[in-house]
Amino acid sequence: MPSNPSNPPAIDTATQWLANTLKEEKTNCASLSDNDAKAILQTGLEHGVLSLIHYFITETESPNTCPDALLKKTRQHNLQGVAADLLRHHELEHIIELLNTAGLNFLLMKGGALAHTLYPQPHQRERCDADLLFPDKPSSDKAWEILKNEGYKRGNTLDGDFVGYQFSCSRELRKGLHSSLDIHR
């Protein structure tokens, strides 16, 4: 049955709390039960906002009013996000330097660009890849040669003049942590 815009579906407590927190509306950590905290953690993880929630809890709330589980898990997720983002950022700087040295013109776009311009800290914009836009196929082909020499493996994407204008590639930085790039043209 189609949804009725005048009667939207009910929003669960965890989603509502997350939405209010991200909109920087005053939320009350002290009123959260342990079950609320578990639901907030699960929903926040699903939506990729736990580091951002940690930021808002520690910046706008008195952290000691939040349930222990919520504060500890968001802190742990935040620290892991910082570590992963530092490694990926270092790799991306290296790749950008190689592409610039090769004389390639490109644009860093989407999540990576937003993370460094609109968020308090870049790791708070969770993302799985960096998107680079090249002006044409010869440029993206040259970029691929550079990436291949750096150990990147191409994902299962179709290539051709009429199939698509992007491909994905990645390489493992550390066990379980990858640098993934989407090359667009």
Side-chain angles (χ1 to χ4, degrees), residues 35-53:
N35 285 338
D36 290 336
K38 286 178 187 173
I40 287 166
L41 288 167
Q42 181 61 39
T43 305
L45 186 61
E46 289 169 7
H47 292 284
V49 295
L50 285 185
S51 288
L52 209 46
I53 292 302

Side-chain angles (χ1 to χ4, degrees), residues 153-174:
K153 305 284 186 231
R154 202 158 170 167
N156 294 328
T157 55
L158 298 172
D159 195 19
D161 290 336
F162 304 107
V163 178
Y165 297 97
Q166 75 179 56
F167 65 87
S168 298
C169 59
S170 67
R171 86 173 186 95
E172 191 170 53
L173 300 176
R174 300 277 190 275

Side-chain angles (χ1 to χ4, degrees), residues 116-165:
H116 289 274
T117 56
L118 298 177
Y119 285 74
Q121 296 293 319
H123 73 278
Q124 294 166 341
R125 168 63 162 87
E126 292 190 24
R127 55 209 183 278
C128 59
D129 60 20
D131 294 271
L132 300 172
L133 176 64
F134 291 85
D136 52 33
K137 185 165 177 30
S139 296
S140 66
D141 288 345
K142 189 172 179 181
W144 168 237
E145 289 303 315
I146 292 167
L147 293 167
K148 192 167 44 172
N149 289 336
E150 290 297 307
Y152 280 79
K153 305 284 186 231
R154 202 158 170 167
N156 294 328
T157 55
L158 298 172
D159 195 19
D161 290 336
F162 304 107
V163 178
Y165 297 97

Side-chain angles (χ1 to χ4, degrees), residues 62 84 101:
S62 174
T101 300

Side-chain angles (χ1 to χ4, degrees), residues 93-119:
E93 282 182 331
H94 172 67
I95 294 301
I96 287 171
E97 183 179 323
L98 291 174
L99 297 172
N100 282 332
T101 300
L104 292 172
N105 292 317
F106 61 93
L107 174 68
L108 176 65
M109 59 180 200
K110 295 169 57 174
L114 293 173
H116 289 274
T117 56
L118 298 177
Y119 285 74

